[in-house]
Amino acid sequence: MTIEGKFYGIGVGPGDPQLITVKAVEVLKQVDVVAVPKSRMDRESVAWEIAKGHCPSDIQLMELEMPMTSDEAILQVAWRNAATQILYALHSGKSVAFLTLGDPSFYSTYTYLLNLLKEELPSEQIETVPGIMAMAAAAAKVNQPLATGDEPLLVLPGIEGVDKYPEIPNLVVMKVSRNLPEVLKDLHESGGKAVLATRVGQAGEEIRELTEQEEAGKVDYLSLVLINRSV
Ligand SMILES: C[S@@+](CC[C@H](N)C(=O)[O-])C[C@H]1O[C@@H](n2cnc3c(N)ncnc32)[C@H](O)[C@@H]1O
């Protein structure tokens, strides 16, 4: 069967509706359907909050339930359902923009969807539009570089110990709600500077330097830590 509509994976940036690219806005203005992942159907989508001001008021919304779980079986079902709904719209000749927070190629569940759609669509019918990553927005907020000159930068997904890489001067810990105690232990042992950035560009934004004496309390899922050991 010929599929006429085009699929777009849109990075909407970290939170501030002004930190979305001109290209993403152009796509949002001309697509037929905007697909919005939601962790629960009764919750607002952060990605939609960012994008909605850039979309025509009568845009067709496709809400897709994506449970916050690491259970592969549950995720597989959710992504298959999402792919089926999107393919149905594309088969009807509609173009679809799927929204994803930050950049689509960076620790994004968009990849699951993309892999499923790649099995069904020719590559010219899929376009991924990059977005500003949360770590770039966090670094900008504190007017600090992520890395300079010949320095390496290591990005960790919040499961591995940051102490495994004592020689790396710059680290970013994503999903830090899972391992803040380790980050604090490393900070205590290696010194340096660590900035905890929560909900950058969103309501409830909080950005502060961590202290060595800090108690590891509960941290919002949308948090990351920027570490600079060379200060
Ligand atoms: C699944 S990853 C998505 C990353 C996203 N694709 C990006 O380019 O930044 C989710 C993690 O990104 C980070 N994150 C996303 N948005 C954030 C924000 N606005 N403020 C702080 N951290 C954020 C947090 O570490 C969160 O646990």
Side-chain angles (χ1 to χ4, degrees):
M1 188 192 287
T2 314
I3 301 175
E4 288 173 8
K6 186 164 175 177
F7 173 78
Y8 297 88
I10 305 283
V12 296
D16 181 344
Q18 291 192 315
L19 289 186
I20 186 169
T21 65
V22 174
K23 175 142 193 177
V25 170
E26 274 174 11
V27 172
L28 292 174
K29 287 201 187 308
Q30 54 95 13
V31 284
D32 301 301
V33 179
V34 170
V36 180
K38 291 183 112 179
S39 58
R40 275 193 4 214
M41 288 317 231
D42 59 350
R43 287 219 181 125
E44 285 306 305
S45 150
V46 178
W48 174 240
E49 284 303 306
I50 297 167
K52 66 182 178 190
H54 299 294
C55 297
S57 54
D58 59 348
I59 189 78
Q60 186 184 331
L61 267 189
M62 181 191 286
E63 296 188 327
L64 302 167
E65 188 162 14
M66 299 293 158
M68 289 275 277
T69 174
S70 51
D71 185 324
E72 275 296 317
I74 295 174
L75 286 173
Q76 290 283 348
V77 171
W79 285 110
R80 288 221 166 265
N81 283 340
T84 303
Q85 288 183 65
I86 289 168
L87 284 166
Y88 184 80
L90 297 172
H91 277 299
S92 331
K94 291 180 174 172
S95 50
V96 179
F98 176 86
L99 306 183
T100 181
L101 204 54
D103 181 76
S105 60
F106 190 63
Y107 291 118
S108 175
T109 44
Y110 165 69
T111 308
Y112 295 108
L113 178 64
L114 187 60
N115 288 340
L116 291 171
L117 294 179
K118 275 181 175 171
E119 290 170 12
E120 307 289 336
L121 298 173
S123 56
E124 61 274 16
Q125 264 177 272
I126 300 180
E127 187 171 341
T128 301
V129 179
I132 293 176
M133 297 171 181
M135 64 177 184
K141 279 275 174 181
V142 290
N143 294 313
Q144 273 181 25
L146 287 170
T148 49
D150 296 333
E151 290 174 353
L153 167 70
L154 180 67
V155 181
L156 294 168
I159 42 173
E160 276 191 281
V162 284
D163 57 346
K164 281 192 190 160
Y165 309 95
E167 74 289 0
I168 305 282
N170 305 296
L171 294 95
V172 175
V173 186
M174 305 291 291
K175 307 179 192 181
V176 73
S177 55
R178 303 193 290 193
N179 74 337
L180 187 63
E182 277 181 39
V183 171
L184 291 169
K185 186 167 166 280
D186 177 70
L187 183 66
H188 184 68
E189 283 161 10
S190 67
K193 182 178 172 181
V195 172
L196 174 66
T198 297
R199 292 195 170 264
V200 177
Q202 302 171 13
E205 174 184 280
E206 197 186 340
I207 300 172
R208 65 189 173 84
E209 199 171 323
L210 292 170
T211 64
E212 288 179 35
Q213 295 75 33
E214 186 103 18
E215 296 284 324
K218 200 169 167 351
V219 173
D220 190 294
Y221 170 70
L222 287 180
S223 301
L224 58 83
V225 168
L226 307 176
I227 297 174
N228 182 346
R229 287 174 170 150
S230 54
V231 290

PDB file of all heavy atoms in Angstrom, residues 14-15 100-109 131-135 173-177 197-202 221-224, ligand 1:
ATOM      1  N   PRO A  14      14.087  21.616  25.761  1.00  0.00           N
ATOM      2  CA  PRO A  14      13.939  21.177  27.155  1.00  0.00           C
ATOM      3  C   PRO A  14      12.734  21.731  27.909  1.00  0.00           C
ATOM      4  O   PRO A  14      12.323  21.178  28.918  1.00  0.00           O
ATOM      5  CB  PRO A  14      15.233  21.691  27.804  1.00  0.00           C
ATOM      6  CG  PRO A  14      15.608  22.876  26.981  1.00  0.00           C
ATOM      7  CD  PRO A  14      15.178  22.576  25.582  1.00  0.00           C
ATOM      8  N   GLY A  15      12.171  22.857  27.469  1.00  0.00           N
ATOM      9  CA  GLY A  15      11.053  23.396  28.255  1.00  0.00           C
ATOM     10  C   GLY A  15      10.590  24.766  27.811  1.00  0.00           C
ATOM     11  O   GLY A  15       9.403  24.999  27.619  1.00  0.00           O
ATOM     12  N   THR A 100       8.957  15.075  20.988  1.00  0.00           N
ATOM     13  CA  THR A 100       9.837  14.472  21.995  1.00  0.00           C
ATOM     14  C   THR A 100      10.642  15.578  22.683  1.00  0.00           C
ATOM     15  O   THR A 100      11.015  16.578  22.069  1.00  0.00           O
ATOM     16  CB  THR A 100      10.721  13.371  21.355  1.00  0.00           C
ATOM     17  OG1 THR A 100      11.537  12.788  22.348  1.00  0.00           O
ATOM     18  CG2 THR A 100      11.584  13.889  20.259  1.00  0.00           C
ATOM     19  N   LEU A 101      10.869  15.380  23.982  1.00  0.00           N
ATOM     20  CA  LEU A 101      11.538  16.397  24.804  1.00  0.00           C
ATOM     21  C   LEU A 101      13.030  16.465  24.466  1.00  0.00           C
ATOM     22  O   LEU A 101      13.673  15.424  24.273  1.00  0.00           O
ATOM     23  CB  LEU A 101      11.334  16.016  26.279  1.00  0.00           C
ATOM     24  CG  LEU A 101      11.401  17.096  27.348  1.00  0.00           C
ATOM     25  CD1 LEU A 101      10.454  18.244  27.071  1.00  0.00           C
ATOM     26  CD2 LEU A 101      11.105  16.485  28.714  1.00  0.00           C
ATOM     27  N   GLY A 102      13.565  17.677  24.418  1.00  0.00           N
ATOM     28  CA  GLY A 102      14.995  17.840  24.149  1.00  0.00           C
ATOM     29  C   GLY A 102      15.299  17.474  22.714  1.00  0.00           C
ATOM     30  O   GLY A 102      14.636  17.943  21.784  1.00  0.00           O
ATOM     31  N   ASP A 103      16.293  16.599  22.534  1.00  0.00           N
ATOM     32  CA  ASP A 103      16.675  16.130  21.206  1.00  0.00           C
ATOM     33  C   ASP A 103      16.199  14.685  21.023  1.00  0.00           C
ATOM     34  O   ASP A 103      16.352  13.865  21.919  1.00  0.00           O
ATOM     35  CB  ASP A 103      18.203  16.187  21.052  1.00  0.00           C
ATOM     36  CG  ASP A 103      18.609  15.729  19.671  1.00  0.00           C
ATOM     37  OD1 ASP A 103      18.444  16.501  18.716  1.00  0.00           O
ATOM     38  OD2 ASP A 103      19.057  14.570  19.537  1.00  0.00           O
ATOM     39  N   PRO A 104      15.640  14.362  19.843  1.00  0.00           N
ATOM     40  CA  PRO A 104      15.089  13.021  19.641  1.00  0.00           C
ATOM     41  C   PRO A 104      16.125  11.898  19.655  1.00  0.00           C
ATOM     42  O   PRO A 104      15.786  10.747  19.905  1.00  0.00           O
ATOM     43  CB  PRO A 104      14.449  13.100  18.247  1.00  0.00           C
ATOM     44  CG  PRO A 104      14.389  14.534  17.885  1.00  0.00           C
ATOM     45  CD  PRO A 104      15.433  15.243  18.687  1.00  0.00           C
ATOM     46  N   SER A 105      17.394  12.237  19.361  1.00  0.00           N
ATOM     47  CA  SER A 105      18.386  11.163  19.257  1.00  0.00           C
ATOM     48  C   SER A 105      19.157  10.955  20.557  1.00  0.00           C
ATOM     49  O   SER A 105      20.102  10.166  20.614  1.00  0.00           O
ATOM     50  CB  SER A 105      19.372  11.474  18.129  1.00  0.00           C
ATOM     51  OG  SER A 105      20.015  12.693  18.410  1.00  0.00           O
ATOM     52  N   PHE A 106      18.745  11.659  21.603  1.00  0.00           N
ATOM     53  CA  PHE A 106      19.530  11.625  22.833  1.00  0.00           C
ATOM     54  C   PHE A 106      18.688  11.073  23.982  1.00  0.00           C
ATOM     55  O   PHE A 106      17.808  11.747  24.497  1.00  0.00           O
ATOM     56  CB  PHE A 106      19.998  13.058  23.147  1.00  0.00           C
ATOM     57  CG  PHE A 106      21.004  13.150  24.250  1.00  0.00           C
ATOM     58  CD1 PHE A 106      22.248  12.553  24.132  1.00  0.00           C
ATOM     59  CD2 PHE A 106      20.716  13.846  25.407  1.00  0.00           C
ATOM     60  CE1 PHE A 106      23.173  12.639  25.147  1.00  0.00           C
ATOM     61  CE2 PHE A 106      21.639  13.939  26.420  1.00  0.00           C
ATOM     62  CZ  PHE A 106      22.879  13.341  26.290  1.00  0.00           C
ATOM     63  N   TYR A 107      18.943   9.795  24.341  1.00  0.00           N
ATOM     64  CA  TYR A 107      18.204   9.101  25.415  1.00  0.00           C
ATOM     65  C   TYR A 107      16.695   9.288  25.291  1.00  0.00           C
ATOM     66  O   TYR A 107      16.020   9.551  26.288  1.00  0.00           O
ATOM     67  CB  TYR A 107      18.650   9.599  26.792  1.00  0.00           C
ATOM     68  CG  TYR A 107      20.054   9.206  27.164  1.00  0.00           C
ATOM     69  CD1 TYR A 107      21.022  10.161  27.392  1.00  0.00           C
ATOM     70  CD2 TYR A 107      20.403   7.868  27.285  1.00  0.00           C
ATOM     71  CE1 TYR A 107      22.327   9.792  27.727  1.00  0.00           C
ATOM     72  CE2 TYR A 107      21.704   7.503  27.622  1.00  0.00           C
ATOM     73  CZ  TYR A 107      22.647   8.467  27.838  1.00  0.00           C
ATOM     74  OH  TYR A 107      23.917   8.101  28.178  1.00  0.00           O
ATOM     75  N   SER A 108      16.212   9.158  24.072  1.00  0.00           N
ATOM     76  CA  SER A 108      14.784   9.393  23.894  1.00  0.00           C
ATOM     77  C   SER A 108      14.075   8.097  23.533  1.00  0.00           C
ATOM     78  O   SER A 108      14.579   7.302  22.722  1.00  0.00           O
ATOM     79  CB  SER A 108      14.573  10.420  22.779  1.00  0.00           C
ATOM     80  OG  SER A 108      13.204  10.564  22.520  1.00  0.00           O
ATOM     81  N   THR A 109      12.894   7.897  24.102  1.00  0.00           N
ATOM     82  CA  THR A 109      12.113   6.708  23.770  1.00  0.00           C
ATOM     83  C   THR A 109      11.594   6.785  22.324  1.00  0.00           C
ATOM     84  O   THR A 109      11.073   5.808  21.805  1.00  0.00           O
ATOM     85  CB  THR A 109      10.935   6.540  24.744  1.00  0.00           C
ATOM     86  OG1 THR A 109      10.325   7.807  24.927  1.00  0.00           O
ATOM     87  CG2 THR A 109      11.379   5.986  26.075  1.00  0.00           C
ATOM     88  N   GLY A 131      16.624  18.812  18.382  1.00  0.00           N
ATOM     89  CA  GLY A 131      16.198  19.818  19.352  1.00  0.00           C
ATOM     90  C   GLY A 131      17.328  20.131  20.326  1.00  0.00           C
ATOM     91  O   GLY A 131      18.334  19.415  20.377  1.00  0.00           O
ATOM     92  N   ILE A 132      17.163  21.179  21.076  1.00  0.00           N
ATOM     93  CA  ILE A 132      18.179  21.553  22.076  1.00  0.00           C
ATOM     94  C   ILE A 132      18.086  20.591  23.251  1.00  0.00           C
ATOM     95  O   ILE A 132      17.009  20.376  23.817  1.00  0.00           O
ATOM     96  CB  ILE A 132      17.971  23.003  22.531  1.00  0.00           C
ATOM     97  CG1 ILE A 132      18.266  23.940  21.362  1.00  0.00           C
ATOM     98  CG2 ILE A 132      18.839  23.344  23.742  1.00  0.00           C
ATOM     99  CD1 ILE A 132      18.013  25.405  21.636  1.00  0.00           C
ATOM    100  N   MET A 133      19.214  20.001  23.600  1.00  0.00           N
ATOM    101  CA  MET A 133      19.232  19.037  24.707  1.00  0.00           C
ATOM    102  C   MET A 133      19.146  19.757  26.044  1.00  0.00           C
ATOM    103  O   MET A 133      19.655  20.877  26.197  1.00  0.00           O
ATOM    104  CB  MET A 133      20.548  18.256  24.685  1.00  0.00           C
ATOM    105  CG  MET A 133      20.741  17.418  23.460  1.00  0.00           C
ATOM    106  SD  MET A 133      22.423  16.799  23.470  1.00  0.00           S
ATOM    107  CE  MET A 133      22.438  15.889  21.942  1.00  0.00           C
ATOM    108  N   ALA A 134      18.571  19.071  27.027  1.00  0.00           N
ATOM    109  CA  ALA A 134      18.442  19.666  28.358  1.00  0.00           C
ATOM    110  C   ALA A 134      19.810  20.042  28.922  1.00  0.00           C
ATOM    111  O   ALA A 134      19.954  21.070  29.587  1.00  0.00           O
ATOM    112  CB  ALA A 134      17.717  18.696  29.290  1.00  0.00           C
ATOM    113  N   MET A 135      20.831  19.237  28.638  1.00  0.00           N
ATOM    114  CA  MET A 135      22.147  19.540  29.238  1.00  0.00           C
ATOM    115  C   MET A 135      22.721  20.841  28.661  1.00  0.00           C
ATOM    116  O   MET A 135      23.383  21.604  29.377  1.00  0.00           O
ATOM    117  CB  MET A 135      23.131  18.384  29.071  1.00  0.00           C
ATOM    118  CG  MET A 135      23.505  18.046  27.677  1.00  0.00           C
ATOM    119  SD  MET A 135      24.732  16.705  27.716  1.00  0.00           S
ATOM    120  CE  MET A 135      25.084  16.581  25.972  1.00  0.00           C
ATOM    121  N   VAL A 173      25.430  13.967  34.261  1.00  0.00           N
ATOM    122  CA  VAL A 173      24.684  12.787  34.706  1.00  0.00           C
ATOM    123  C   VAL A 173      23.212  13.019  34.404  1.00  0.00           C
ATOM    124  O   VAL A 173      22.561  13.867  35.015  1.00  0.00           O
ATOM    125  CB  VAL A 173      24.905  12.493  36.205  1.00  0.00           C
ATOM    126  CG1 VAL A 173      24.227  11.172  36.576  1.00  0.00           C
ATOM    127  CG2 VAL A 173      26.383  12.463  36.538  1.00  0.00           C
ATOM    128  N   MET A 174      22.716  12.284  33.408  1.00  0.00           N
ATOM    129  CA  MET A 174      21.295  12.331  33.057  1.00  0.00           C
ATOM    130  C   MET A 174      20.539  11.427  34.032  1.00  0.00           C
ATOM    131  O   MET A 174      21.141  10.580  34.689  1.00  0.00           O
ATOM    132  CB  MET A 174      21.086  11.815  31.618  1.00  0.00           C
ATOM    133  CG  MET A 174      21.900  12.530  30.553  1.00  0.00           C
ATOM    134  SD  MET A 174      21.381  14.218  30.290  1.00  0.00           S
ATOM    135  CE  MET A 174      19.782  13.992  29.538  1.00  0.00           C
ATOM    136  N   LYS A 175      19.222  11.565  34.101  1.00  0.00           N
ATOM    137  CA  LYS A 175      18.361  10.688  34.926  1.00  0.00           C
ATOM    138  C   LYS A 175      18.932  10.538  36.341  1.00  0.00           C
ATOM    139  O   LYS A 175      18.968   9.442  36.911  1.00  0.00           O
ATOM    140  CB  LYS A 175      18.222   9.319  34.254  1.00  0.00           C
ATOM    141  CG  LYS A 175      17.768   9.402  32.808  1.00  0.00           C
ATOM    142  CD  LYS A 175      17.671   8.040  32.168  1.00  0.00           C
ATOM    143  CE  LYS A 175      17.497   8.155  30.660  1.00  0.00           C
ATOM    144  NZ  LYS A 175      17.383   6.894  29.963  1.00  0.00           N
ATOM    145  N   VAL A 176      19.422  11.647  36.873  1.00  0.00           N
ATOM    146  CA  VAL A 176      20.165  11.598  38.145  1.00  0.00           C
ATOM    147  C   VAL A 176      19.262  11.282  39.342  1.00  0.00           C
ATOM    148  O   VAL A 176      19.761  10.988  40.438  1.00  0.00           O
ATOM    149  CB  VAL A 176      20.957  12.921  38.346  1.00  0.00           C
ATOM    150  CG1 VAL A 176      20.020  14.070  38.699  1.00  0.00           C
ATOM    151  CG2 VAL A 176      22.055  12.756  39.379  1.00  0.00           C
ATOM    152  N   SER A 177      17.953  11.282  39.140  1.00  0.00           N
ATOM    153  CA  SER A 177      17.064  10.919  40.251  1.00  0.00           C
ATOM    154  C   SER A 177      17.365   9.488  40.697  1.00  0.00           C
ATOM    155  O   SER A 177      17.009   9.092  41.793  1.00  0.00           O
ATOM    156  CB  SER A 177      15.598  11.045  39.829  1.00  0.00           C
ATOM    157  OG  SER A 177      15.343  10.289  38.671  1.00  0.00           O
ATOM    158  N   ALA A 197      20.368  20.585  38.009  1.00  0.00           N
ATOM    159  CA  ALA A 197      19.411  21.379  37.218  1.00  0.00           C
ATOM    160  C   ALA A 197      18.124  20.577  37.054  1.00  0.00           C
ATOM    161  O   ALA A 197      18.140  19.476  36.501  1.00  0.00           O
ATOM    162  CB  ALA A 197      20.011  21.705  35.852  1.00  0.00           C
ATOM    163  N   THR A 198      17.034  21.131  37.564  1.00  0.00           N
ATOM    164  CA  THR A 198      15.741  20.447  37.528  1.00  0.00           C
ATOM    165  C   THR A 198      14.744  21.257  36.693  1.00  0.00           C
ATOM    166  O   THR A 198      14.652  22.479  36.857  1.00  0.00           O
ATOM    167  CB  THR A 198      15.198  20.294  38.969  1.00  0.00           C
ATOM    168  OG1 THR A 198      16.118  19.471  39.695  1.00  0.00           O
ATOM    169  CG2 THR A 198      13.820  19.648  38.999  1.00  0.00           C
ATOM    170  N   ARG A 199      14.048  20.570  35.802  1.00  0.00           N
ATOM    171  CA  ARG A 199      12.986  21.184  34.980  1.00  0.00           C
ATOM    172  C   ARG A 199      13.447  22.497  34.340  1.00  0.00           C
ATOM    173  O   ARG A 199      12.763  23.527  34.435  1.00  0.00           O
ATOM    174  CB  ARG A 199      11.710  21.381  35.797  1.00  0.00           C
ATOM    175  CG  ARG A 199      11.056  20.074  36.173  1.00  0.00           C
ATOM    176  CD  ARG A 199       9.649  20.185  36.664  1.00  0.00           C
ATOM    177  NE  ARG A 199       9.059  18.861  36.753  1.00  0.00           N
ATOM    178  CZ  ARG A 199       8.290  18.277  35.825  1.00  0.00           C
ATOM    179  NH1 ARG A 199       7.984  18.922  34.750  1.00  0.00           N
ATOM    180  NH2 ARG A 199       7.828  17.054  35.978  1.00  0.00           N
ATOM    181  N   VAL A 200      14.581  22.447  33.688  1.00  0.00           N
ATOM    182  CA  VAL A 200      15.138  23.647  33.047  1.00  0.00           C
ATOM    183  C   VAL A 200      14.140  24.205  32.023  1.00  0.00           C
ATOM    184  O   VAL A 200      13.654  23.481  31.160  1.00  0.00           O
ATOM    185  CB  VAL A 200      16.473  23.319  32.346  1.00  0.00           C
ATOM    186  CG1 VAL A 200      17.015  24.553  31.624  1.00  0.00           C
ATOM    187  CG2 VAL A 200      17.492  22.813  33.365  1.00  0.00           C
ATOM    188  N   GLY A 201      13.809  25.472  32.192  1.00  0.00           N
ATOM    189  CA  GLY A 201      12.906  26.138  31.245  1.00  0.00           C
ATOM    190  C   GLY A 201      11.436  25.846  31.469  1.00  0.00           C
ATOM    191  O   GLY A 201      10.594  26.278  30.694  1.00  0.00           O
ATOM    192  N   GLN A 202      11.131  25.082  32.522  1.00  0.00           N
ATOM    193  CA  GLN A 202       9.727  24.715  32.783  1.00  0.00           C
ATOM    194  C   GLN A 202       9.266  25.320  34.108  1.00  0.00           C
ATOM    195  O   GLN A 202      10.082  25.781  34.912  1.00  0.00           O
ATOM    196  CB  GLN A 202       9.589  23.188  32.889  1.00  0.00           C
ATOM    197  CG  GLN A 202      10.045  22.448  31.652  1.00  0.00           C
ATOM    198  CD  GLN A 202      10.112  20.944  31.850  1.00  0.00           C
ATOM    199  OE1 GLN A 202       9.598  20.402  32.818  1.00  0.00           O
ATOM    200  NE2 GLN A 202      10.752  20.269  30.919  1.00  0.00           N
ATOM    201  N   TYR A 221      12.344  13.578  38.350  1.00  0.00           N
ATOM    202  CA  TYR A 221      12.888  12.801  37.215  1.00  0.00           C
ATOM    203  C   TYR A 221      13.539  13.715  36.177  1.00  0.00           C
ATOM    204  O   TYR A 221      14.570  13.370  35.575  1.00  0.00           O
ATOM    205  CB  TYR A 221      11.769  11.969  36.573  1.00  0.00           C
ATOM    206  CG  TYR A 221      12.187  11.328  35.269  1.00  0.00           C
ATOM    207  CD1 TYR A 221      13.121  10.284  35.248  1.00  0.00           C
ATOM    208  CD2 TYR A 221      11.683  11.783  34.043  1.00  0.00           C
ATOM    209  CE1 TYR A 221      13.528   9.715  34.053  1.00  0.00           C
ATOM    210  CE2 TYR A 221      12.094  11.215  32.843  1.00  0.00           C
ATOM    211  CZ  TYR A 221      13.016  10.178  32.861  1.00  0.00           C
ATOM    212  OH  TYR A 221      13.428   9.626  31.667  1.00  0.00           O
ATOM    213  N   LEU A 222      12.962  14.893  35.944  1.00  0.00           N
ATOM    214  CA  LEU A 222      13.530  15.799  34.937  1.00  0.00           C
ATOM    215  C   LEU A 222      14.665  16.618  35.549  1.00  0.00           C
ATOM    216  O   LEU A 222      14.593  17.841  35.665  1.00  0.00           O
ATOM    217  CB  LEU A 222      12.446  16.689  34.338  1.00  0.00           C
ATOM    218  CG  LEU A 222      11.489  15.978  33.378  1.00  0.00           C
ATOM    219  CD1 LEU A 222      10.455  16.957  32.832  1.00  0.00           C
ATOM    220  CD2 LEU A 222      12.232  15.312  32.214  1.00  0.00           C
ATOM    221  N   SER A 223      15.695  15.914  35.996  1.00  0.00           N
ATOM    222  CA  SER A 223      16.862  16.557  36.609  1.00  0.00           C
ATOM    223  C   SER A 223      18.138  15.949  36.044  1.00  0.00           C
ATOM    224  O   SER A 223      18.188  14.757  35.734  1.00  0.00           O
ATOM    225  CB  SER A 223      16.884  16.323  38.124  1.00  0.00           C
ATOM    226  OG  SER A 223      15.739  16.830  38.732  1.00  0.00           O
ATOM    227  N   LEU A 224      19.151  16.781  35.960  1.00  0.00           N
ATOM    228  CA  LEU A 224      20.474  16.300  35.564  1.00  0.00           C
ATOM    229  C   LEU A 224      21.520  17.043  36.384  1.00  0.00           C
ATOM    230  O   LEU A 224      21.213  18.060  37.018  1.00  0.00           O
ATOM    231  CB  LEU A 224      20.701  16.510  34.061  1.00  0.00           C
ATOM    232  CG  LEU A 224      20.588  17.928  33.490  1.00  0.00           C
ATOM    233  CD1 LEU A 224      21.854  18.721  33.657  1.00  0.00           C
ATOM    234  CD2 LEU A 224      20.226  17.865  32.014  1.00  0.00           C
TER     235      LEU A 224
HETATM  236  C1  LIG B   1      14.701  10.262  28.564  1.00  0.00           C
HETATM  237  S1  LIG B   1      15.920  11.484  28.876  1.00  0.00           S
HETATM  238  C2  LIG B   1      15.530  12.650  27.618  1.00  0.00           C
HETATM  239  C3  LIG B   1      16.680  13.545  27.246  1.00  0.00           C
HETATM  240  C4  LIG B   1      16.302  14.537  26.149  1.00  0.00           C
HETATM  241  N1  LIG B   1      16.043  13.842  24.902  1.00  0.00           N
HETATM  242  C5  LIG B   1      17.358  15.621  25.912  1.00  0.00           C
HETATM  243  O1  LIG B   1      17.793  15.802  24.748  1.00  0.00           O
HETATM  244  O2  LIG B   1      17.732  16.308  26.853  1.00  0.00           O
HETATM  245  C6  LIG B   1      15.251  12.210  30.310  1.00  0.00           C
HETATM  246  C7  LIG B   1      16.310  12.874  31.145  1.00  0.00           C
HETATM  247  O3  LIG B   1      16.682  14.090  30.504  1.00  0.00           O
HETATM  248  C8  LIG B   1      16.952  15.084  31.471  1.00  0.00           C
HETATM  249  N2  LIG B   1      16.032  16.204  31.225  1.00  0.00           N
HETATM  250  C9  LIG B   1      15.129  16.307  30.241  1.00  0.00           C
HETATM  251  N3  LIG B   1      14.532  17.515  30.256  1.00  0.00           N
HETATM  252  C10 LIG B   1      15.063  18.183  31.301  1.00  0.00           C
HETATM  253  C11 LIG B   1      14.888  19.501  31.826  1.00  0.00           C
HETATM  254  N4  LIG B   1      14.025  20.349  31.279  1.00  0.00           N
HETATM  255  N5  LIG B   1      15.625  19.865  32.899  1.00  0.00           N
HETATM  256  C12 LIG B   1      16.527  19.005  33.436  1.00  0.00           C
HETATM  257  N6  LIG B   1      16.744  17.759  32.981  1.00  0.00           N
HETATM  258  C13 LIG B   1      16.030  17.356  31.925  1.00  0.00           C
HETATM  259  C14 LIG B   1      16.778  14.428  32.848  1.00  0.00           C
HETATM  260  O4  LIG B   1      18.034  13.927  33.255  1.00  0.00           O
HETATM  261  C15 LIG B   1      15.835  13.287  32.525  1.00  0.00           C
HETATM  262  O5  LIG B   1      15.945  12.241  33.478  1.00  0.00           O
END
